[in-house]
Amino acid sequence: MADAWEQLEKECGGCHNCQLGERRQHLVFGDGNRTAEIMLIGEGPGQREDEQGLPFVGPAGQLLNDMMELIGLDRSKVYIANIVKCRPPGNRDPMNTERDACLPWLRRQTALLRPKMIVCLGRIAAQVVIKPDFRITREHGQWFQKAGVWLTAIYHPSALLRDVYKRPETFVDLKEIQRKAREICARTEISAP
Ligand code: URA
């Protein structure tokens, strides 16, 4: 399996399937535990991620770490990837053509990981992974199931940085994710109360 991940990362590293590949400093493949039961999926790299080649290392990433800590998780217990692997200029939303071009990589990551649970971070990830008409304001925190995998979405950490009034609802969603993880992720140690 380690070889399959190495192979996939190498192939993905040479990707120029869309125009985002022309401007990147680093492709951001993904990070975390490649045997995790829980997968987090964000939208796409920002400036810091583009500089470092790692997902969620900027301010949104710091908040994400804090959010995970609240429910007894950390990066050693989850795998983190994005819908698009290269930074959209000016942090604009990735275009549909870019999402479609990049999706085969995420599908292959998911196939290798075989997570029990996928947590989408924000609307874009939820619309790609859960359903195209996903409404984050109405449907965050709800559970969906596809091919035996439990799927949910929470507000993107960047949205929580911009609008602190969304944080209480997200706390409820996080506690529900913790509850569900305790129910279905037997190998994942969850340390928080
Ligand atoms: N926002 C995302 O969606 N992904 C990252 O990796 C960083 C910020």
Side-chain angles (χ1 to χ4, degrees):
M1 221 37 145
D3 284 356
W5 275 105
E6 293 313 313
Q7 173 64 25
L8 180 59
E9 184 163 7
K10 196 167 151 213
E11 271 182 58
C12 182
C15 179
H16 285 279
N17 289 348
C18 78
Q19 58 188 2
L20 296 181
E22 310 311 315
R23 305 173 61 145
R24 69 179 175 232
Q25 289 185 56
H26 289 99
L27 182 144
V28 179
F29 176 71
D31 189 37
N33 184 336
R34 291 175 171 183
T35 65
E37 296 173 292
I38 302 172
M39 185 177 199
L40 307 185
I41 301 181
E43 181 179 320
Q47 184 186 341
R48 298 281 186 80
E49 291 76 20
D50 182 46
E51 284 163 7
Q52 295 185 38
L54 289 168
F56 285 99
V57 289
Q62 186 53 58
L63 181 58
L64 181 62
N65 290 346
D66 295 344
M67 289 159 64
M68 285 196 292
E69 197 185 311
L70 275 178
I71 56 170
L73 295 174
D74 60 44
R75 285 177 186 239
S76 70
K77 297 177 186 169
V78 301
Y79 187 78
I80 308 180
N82 279 308
I83 298 293
V84 295
K85 311 296 191 217
C86 300
R87 181 187 182 204
N91 297 342
R92 64 159 169 75
D93 290 352
M95 296 190 295
N96 285 339
T97 49
E98 294 159 352
R99 299 175 203 184
D100 292 347
C102 215
L103 208 48
W105 301 119
L106 185 67
R107 290 215 173 94
R108 288 175 65 184
Q109 288 173 302
T110 310
L112 284 178
L113 190 66
R114 301 205 295 122
K116 297 235 166 59
M117 174 192 292
I118 295 179
V119 179
C120 298
L121 303 171
R123 170 182 61 89
I124 302 270
Q127 289 182 344
V128 172
V129 173
I130 301 178
K131 53 177 184 163
D133 61 349
F134 192 92
R135 300 280 302 269
I136 191 77
T137 46
R138 289 199 198 149
E139 294 177 291
H140 67 85
Q142 293 184 19
W143 290 106
F144 299 80
Q145 237 189 339
K146 258 192 207 176
V149 183
W150 288 96
L151 312 171
T152 191
I154 60 176
Y155 284 115
H156 193 286
S158 300
L160 299 172
L161 286 174
R162 287 193 301 269
D163 181 359
V164 293
Y165 293 103
K166 290 190 166 81
R167 291 187 185 194
E169 293 170 80
T170 304
F171 182 72
V172 174
D173 295 346
L174 288 169
K175 292 304 282 185
E176 171 55 19
I177 289 166
Q178 183 189 46
R179 187 199 66 73
K180 190 78 168 175
R182 285 197 164 120
E183 184 184 302
I184 64 171
C185 302
R187 285 191 287 109
T188 306
E189 193 198 322
I190 296 172
S191 37

